[in-house]
Amino acid sequence: MKKILVTGGAGFIGSNFCNINKDLYEITALDNLFLGDRDNLDPDVRFIEGNACNLKDLEKVGPVDYVLHLAGTSSAPMFMNEGFVDGYVNSVESFCRTLEWARKNGTKRFCYASTSSLYGNNPMPLMENQHVRPLNHYAVTKEVYEHAGECYNRVYPEMDIVGFRFMSVYGPNEEAKGKFANIISQFAWDMQRDLSPIIYGDGTQFRDFTNVRDVVQGITKAFEHEGQIGADVFNIGTGESSSLNEIVEALKKAFEKDIEAKYIPNPVKEGYIKGQHADISKIQSTLGYEPTVKLADGIKEQVENLRPEKIRQTSSDDFR
Ligand SMILES: NC(=O)c1ccc[n+]([C@@H]2O[C@H](COP(=O)([O-])OP(=O)(O)OC[C@H]3O[C@@H](n4cnc5c(N)ncnc54)[C@H](O)[C@@H]3O)[C@@H](O)[C@H]2O)c1
């Protein structure tokens, strides 16, 4: 069985990856629990509480065949005000430290999270070969990952370095992210408490909402791919988009509750992304990825698995 390290393994995407793949790989989840929760992980997934910026913590893992680097400062608002310096340091240092550790330990393939935020308000559908100009510091860190990964692979071609531009990911295990969680979680937490979800603007803004199980599928396809990949990046999305108004309607159905959204003027003045619609043909043709989870089914499943007692901060209308 192949060995794999998942940094940020107790977080939202990381824990879903570990739990789904625990019988396929011998997995070690490394997480400093900044936004992760040990309880997100199945008890039989090996867990190390540690920092991916810290070589001593990485060395506790032992050699692995693959690395999935998800640790880092995982959303744009975390870089605001006091978070600016620490946000950059945590993301860039954890990436470089883990990359270097992986190569020195003979890792064959290093996969990492980039982001669709890189596209800003580019023309749609969003394609990997578009020129990108990040609108916020969070997206800049991911652009750094992509460039650093490409340079690194030129010097050390023996380790593939593969980035994923995830679209808007939703699904279970987001409670520990609190106010940094996806809008679907935020809305669901509000509606579960019979509160109106708060929409910025008129609710026509749209995202390519992608179920975390499909995200895990895409990443797994990259690890399982035969032959060299080199350094490359792939969108992971569904190729379809839904508006926030449609999300509220789907949640109303799933909860069987008639709660209307509350509309307020959009307080985000700069860098607000109006729409997101991915072109997924590259990952389909190269890795054989196909989205499988229909939005209505994914939302229903999420509603059935909410764990309100685990929400780290109360839901708020910040950062939408
Ligand atoms: N969720 C999305 O929609 C989405 C979209 C695009 C990209 N991403 C990226 O995917 C990755 C995973 O996202 P997520 O939604 O699961 O976020 P998350 O915050 O739940 O996961 C990140 C995990 O990393 C841990 N962590 C942070 N810094 C660490 C460090 N230095 N050492 C060890 N652990 C550390 C946190 O405790 C957390 O558990 C992130 O890099 C994020 O930027 C997420």
Side-chain angles (χ1 to χ4, degrees), residues 7-15 30-37 40 50-54 69-75 78 90-91 94 112-117 138 141-142 145 164-170 173-174 176-177 180 182 312:
T7 70
F12 165 45
I13 297 173
S15 62
L30 176 82
D31 202 300
N32 63 3
L33 302 183
F34 165 56
L35 283 183
D37 183 343
N40 282 341
N51 193 329
C53 300
N54 186 339
H69 179 66
L70 299 173
T73 313
S74 58
S75 86
M78 294 181 204
N90 185 45
S91 282
S94 65
Y112 65 91
S114 179
T115 179
S116 56
S117 302
Y138 166 66
T141 62
K142 301 300 193 187
Y145 284 17
F164 304 104
R165 295 178 178 174
F166 303 138
M167 297 296 140
S168 191
V169 189
Y170 74 98
N173 289 3
E174 254 206 311
K177 284 181 80 175
F180 300 114
N182 187 271
R312 202 168 279 173

Side-chain angles (χ1 to χ4, degrees), residues 5-227:
L5 163 66
V6 182
T7 70
F12 165 45
I13 297 173
S15 62
N16 278 284
F17 180 90
C18 294
N19 296 342
I20 290 172
N21 281 327
K22 68 185 167 60
D23 298 326
L24 182 63
Y25 304 120
E26 202 176 310
I27 298 178
T28 302
L30 176 82
D31 202 300
N32 63 3
L33 302 183
F34 165 56
L35 283 183
D37 183 343
R38 174 70 181 92
D39 292 344
N40 282 341
L41 287 166
D42 280 7
D44 49 345
V45 172
R46 181 184 179 219
F47 175 70
I48 296 176
E49 184 173 343
N51 193 329
C53 300
N54 186 339
L55 186 57
K56 284 207 167 64
D57 288 344
L58 288 165
E59 280 170 349
K60 289 178 194 159
V61 177
V64 292
D65 302 285
Y66 304 140
V67 169
L68 174 59
H69 179 66
L70 299 173
T73 313
S74 58
S75 86
M78 294 181 204
F79 288 80
M80 284 175 181
N81 307 319
E82 298 307 304
F84 171 67
V85 174
D86 290 345
Y88 268 97
V89 171
N90 185 45
S91 282
V92 176
E93 186 173 6
S94 65
F95 179 83
C96 295
R97 197 72 71 194
T98 309
L99 190 67
E100 185 81 339
W101 171 85
R103 179 186 60 82
K104 288 183 175 169
N105 280 279
T107 299
K108 295 277 166 284
R109 191 162 288 163
F110 181 99
C111 292
Y112 65 91
S114 179
T115 179
S116 56
S117 302
L118 274 184
Y119 291 114
N121 281 307
N122 270 16
M124 285 171 271
L126 306 168
M127 296 181 80
E128 292 89 343
N129 61 6
Q130 285 179 350
H131 175 71
V132 293
R133 190 167 171 273
L135 298 178
N136 57 53
H137 296 298
Y138 166 66
V140 171
T141 62
K142 301 300 193 187
E143 193 177 20
V144 169
Y145 284 17
E146 292 190 4
H147 288 303
E150 201 185 330
C151 273
Y152 200 85
N153 183 258
R154 252 182 267 136
V155 183
Y156 303 111
E158 65 274 20
M159 184 171 76
D160 291 330
I161 304 180
V162 183
F164 304 104
R165 295 178 178 174
F166 303 138
M167 297 296 140
S168 191
V169 189
Y170 74 98
N173 289 3
E174 254 206 311
E175 287 81 2
K177 284 181 80 175
K179 64 187 176 187
F180 300 114
N182 187 271
I183 195 91
I184 292 183
S185 289
Q186 310 267 0
F187 285 180
W189 297 337
D190 286 339
M191 289 172 78
Q192 188 176 43
R193 294 184 296 150
D194 293 328
L195 299 174
S196 289
I198 294 168
I199 289 184
Y200 289 176
D202 63 5
T204 57
Q205 59 271 55
F206 55 95
R207 302 283 179 269
D208 188 333
F209 290 102
T210 309
N211 190 272
V212 70
R213 273 193 277 130
D214 280 331
V215 168
V216 169
Q217 183 220 143
I219 299 168
T220 309
K221 293 269 192 221
F223 283 123
E224 294 296 300
H225 183 77
E226 284 177 17

Side-chain angles (χ1 to χ4, degrees), residues 210 214 217 237-240 280 283-284 288-294:
T210 309
D214 280 331
Q217 183 220 143
T238 66
E240 290 173 14
I280 55 170
I283 190 165
Q284 284 175 310
Y289 161 84
E290 283 302 332
T292 56
V293 184
K294 295 257 171 294

